[in-house]
Each structure stands twice: as C-alpha cells, then as structure tokens.
Amino acid sequence: MCGRGQDMAFPDYCAHCGGPVVLPPTAAPLPRPTGLPGMWNHAGRLPVTPDTAWLSMGEGGTPVVPAAAAAGWCAVEHLMFKLDHLNPSGSFKDRATAVGVAQAVWQRAQAVVCASSGNAAGSTAAYAARAGLPAIVLMPEAVPPGKAAIARAHGAIVLRVRGDYSNAFRAARELAARFGWINLTTTYVNPVAVAGLKSAGYELADQLAQTPDWIVVPVGAGPLVHGIVTAYREMRNAGEAAALPRILGVQAEGCAPIADAFDRGAAEVAPWQEVRTRISAISDPLRGYPSDGSYTLRLVRETGGAMATVGDAEAGEAVDRLAHREGLLIESGAAADLVAVRALRARGTIGADETVVCMLTGHGAKTLATGAEVGGPVVADADEAVDRLRAHTAIAEGMTV
Ligand SMILES: *Cc1c(COP(=O)(O)O)cnc(C)c1O
Ligand SMILES: [Zn+2]
C-alpha cells in the first residue's frame, strides 16, 4: 500500500506500513499461454512453472454460462455466471492453494497451515495431500460441520479456534512464523498464493468477447478482487484488454467492514466488532489486519465499482433460486451476488443493458443440511408414490397423475 519493496523470503505484512504485500504485476508483453490444462495455461503469468503442473487437479478453466432465469429477476439483460464452484475442491480457493502448495514444495516446507472459514480448509487439505505435505487447519468455532469434515477426510489436522475467523487467522499466522510453515490462509497474508487468483481474470478475458461492465465478487478480505483487477490491468498495459471492469464487492450485512467504509466514504477500513451472520464464507471481521480491507476498498474504488451488503434471508432465497431455476447448487456467500445485482440494478447503479458477470465462488454441497429428515418421505410402491405425488401442486396442476 505504501509502494515500498519487500523481502519475499518469509511472506508477511509490510514492515513499513503494516499493509498487505502483493507481487508486482507481470510486465508486458505477457507470456503466451502454455497450452496446459486449466490454470497452468497461464503459468507464465503466475508464480508457478510447468515443473509443478503435476500438482494440478484441473483448477481454473471454469465455464462461463448465461444466467437464463436470474437475468429477468435481476432486470439485467446480459447476466452471466462464472462457475468457480466447479474447481476441484468446490471453491475458487483452489486457484490460490495450487500456487501456494507449489511454493511449499519448491521451498521444501515441512508443512502448510491455514486459517479458514471452510473452503480454504478443504482446498489446503486436498492439495497438501496431493503434494505429500502435512496440513494444519484452524477454523472458527462455528464452522459448518461439513466443511471441517472435508478437510479431515483428506487427512488434515483440524482445530477449531474459539471465537470468530480473526482468532483462527492470528493462530495460523503465529504457527507459520514459529515453525516456518507456509501459510495458505486466503487473506493477503501469502502474496504468492494470492497471485494465483489472477488466473480468474485472464480466463474471463479469454472467455468473453469484451470486458464486462461489472464483475461481481463475494468479499471477505478481497484477494479475488486483487486477482481480477490486477489481471485486467496487466492485459490493458499489454494491449490485450480495452477496458477495466467495475468490481461490485458483496458482503454480509452482519459482517461488512469494507462495505461500511465504502458507504462512509472512508479510506481506511475499521475492523467489524461482532459477526452476526450465517453466511460463513464471507464473514471476516478483519480484526488485526484491517489494512487488507483498505487495500481491497481502494481497488474497488479505482475500478469505479461499488460495495453492497446482503442479508442472510435474501442470500438463502438466492441459494434456492439458483438451485431451483438454474440447476446450480451454490453456497450462500456466492449466491449473495444475485441479491446485490438486483439491488444495484433497482437503484440504477447497474444499467439494464450492461454486461454483468457473477463469480459463483463456492459449491453448495458442503453446506447442505444432512440427515434422514431431509431425505424426503418413504413410500412402499408406485401406488403410494402416486398418492404422494397428488399432494404436489406443481404436478397436480401441470399433468395427470
Ligand atoms: C473465501 C470465500 C470468499 C471470499 O474470499 P476472501 O478471500 O475472504 O475475500 C467468497 N466466496 C467463497 C465461497 C469463499 O469460500
Ligand atoms: Zn507498506
């Protein structure tokens, strides 16, 4: 944030200003695509080499599809989804983790550690397993159980830290410093891993005919904002992209430190006092590292973008809408994008004819309720099934049973 150079031997916050440290952008002309699958196609522009491509499980290269039904609901004509929930461990975090684990292999680290609200944990655990490295994962006490179970299924050591995400963050940072482990927490704490998120921006430019007017990004600390904006800036400097997309950052009403600073017109983000939301993927109070938020806020403003907040109930409705009408099972933190687009369209911030791409960052399977009670009724045979079907108005009205 202060523009001064940093020693990268052990990644941490800036020694001068305490702000986040990021790698310098790749200089023009940008290296050409490698032809390798997924994210490794842009290895030349990321801190990885084709030597570590064996680590890949197909991260990146996710589809962009039209939002058939949601476009009408949002009153936006050109609405698209980038299906980043289709990354190997079910979230965009794999873009950062794959690069961070490649770094750990290259530096011969003994282990990797991360703090996670859920998705980084599963991602770190999976890639560490593939690399043959132990993974230590620290999660907030109230983490969705399915997400902790996934990390454990990959053999990670999972500890829940009392309190919210920021407490887990502090513990992971301390362990990394004490033992020389690579910290894969997906705030800005690891600039090498964060650089992996630029891949999303390169792909969007490859997939879309033109730079979209808006890219909608769910935001905890905001490294994905940095990744997309940096990628478009690099491509613009190299003459590959004509414009910079505006970023619409989305936070939960019950934990919105960056959106709050945006609304106040403040340059500095203040830590959020008390987390009051169940949208776990984006509830980061930034306690101890508010400058992460200030950096993200600056980027959003530099794109001419905006921040929006979404309530738990609305996000839940967006989850249902995506699952029922688009066939997309998406977790609340990412489904929240839709609510934000609809709200900003209604306010006139987003124009009816503007092109909008929502980053669908996380799969909904990990946060589904499980257990016998959600499995549906049990019937003995076809006759009993017909009795049950008659009770469904959708079927009773539309067809004969
Ligand atoms: C982690 C996460 C985010 C937010 O990412 P930050 O790096 O915290 O800004 C958004 N959506 C999903 C599904 C996530 O897992
Ligand atoms: Zn600095």
Side-chain angles (χ1 to χ4, degrees):
M1 293 189 79
C2 66
R4 290 206 241 180
Q6 288 289 307
D7 175 14
M8 281 295 304
F10 188 83
D12 201 15
Y13 285 90
C14 175
H16 306 293
C17 72
V21 175
V22 295
L23 296 191
T26 309
L30 293 173
R32 298 183 61 75
T34 61
L36 289 166
M39 209 178 81
W40 257 263
N41 188 35
H42 294 297
R45 305 173 181 189
L46 304 171
V48 289
T49 67
D51 295 346
T52 41
W54 59 270
L55 269 171
S56 176
M57 294 191 273
E59 57 294 316
T62 55
V64 172
V65 300
W73 189 68
C74 293
V76 172
E77 210 174 311
H78 308 288
L79 183 65
M80 280 167 285
F81 296 135
K82 184 153 173 73
L83 307 184
D84 248 32
H85 69 300
L86 298 182
N87 275 294
S89 81
S91 83
F92 82 97
K93 301 282 198 300
D94 292 341
R95 296 178 182 274
T97 311
V99 174
V101 169
Q103 173 202 19
V105 169
W106 177 70
Q107 292 194 7
R108 298 177 198 280
Q110 284 188 314
V112 295
V113 60
C114 83
S116 170
S117 63
N119 285 328
S123 180
T124 296
Y127 281 87
R130 190 161 177 82
L133 284 168
I136 295 91
V137 169
L138 304 163
M139 303 178 98
E141 216 172 338
V143 70
K147 289 187 171 175
I150 288 168
R152 293 179 66 159
H154 285 297
I157 301 167
V158 176
L159 299 170
R160 287 191 295 151
V161 181
R162 203 150 285 142
D164 62 29
Y165 177 83
S166 287
N167 292 356
F169 175 90
R170 191 172 53 225
R173 196 170 162 210
E174 253 181 68
L175 288 174
R178 218 181 277 180
F179 300 111
W181 297 338
I182 297 287
N183 191 348
L184 295 181
T185 303
T186 56
T187 54
Y188 288 102
V189 77
N190 186 330
V192 176
V194 164
L197 301 173
K198 290 193 296 180
S199 59
Y202 303 138
E203 288 170 20
L204 283 169
D206 290 343
Q207 290 169 311
L208 302 169
Q210 282 164 355
T211 305
D213 295 297
W214 293 90
I215 298 180
V216 189
V217 183
V219 169
L224 184 57
V225 172
H226 162 82
I228 292 172
V229 171
T230 307
Y232 269 98
R233 279 185 173 155
E234 289 176 357
M235 292 185 288
R236 235 176 28 151
N237 288 340
E240 288 181 16
L244 196 62
R246 274 174 283 174
I247 300 292
L248 169 54
V250 183
Q251 299 210 284
E253 255 168 38
C255 183
I258 303 176
D260 179 61
F262 181 85
D263 289 344
R264 287 187 288 114
E268 305 289 330
V269 170
W272 194 258
Q273 290 311 321
E274 192 190 342
V275 173
R276 283 207 193 121
T277 174
R278 295 179 57 209
I279 311 178
S280 58
I282 49 173
S283 60
D284 184 339
L286 303 176
R287 204 176 336 101
Y289 45 100
S291 55
D292 275 28
S294 305
Y295 176 66
T296 298
L297 177 62
R298 192 171 85 186
L299 289 176
V300 169
R301 286 206 177 111
E302 283 170 358
T303 69
M307 296 292 304
T309 59
V310 172
D312 285 24
E314 303 167 302
E317 284 162 26
V319 167
D320 290 346
R321 185 164 282 279
L322 285 170
H324 293 184
R325 305 190 191 203
E326 305 272 1
L328 296 167
L329 190 55
I330 303 297
E331 72 175 86
S332 59
D337 283 358
L338 271 194
V339 181
V341 171
R342 184 171 146 98
L344 266 68
R345 173 72 197 98
R347 260 182 258 159
T349 312
I350 296 178
D353 57 349
E354 289 188 309
T355 303
V356 181
V357 180
C358 292
M359 296 298 298
L360 297 187
T361 45
H363 205 295
K366 303 180 200 179
T367 45
L368 278 185
T370 51
E373 73 280 7
V374 292
V378 178
V379 296
D381 53 21
D383 286 342
E384 209 181 322
V386 167
D387 289 343
R388 286 284 183 175
L389 290 176
R390 288 214 172 96
H392 283 265
T393 47
I395 289 179
E397 284 164 12
M399 57 197 253
T400 311
V401 177

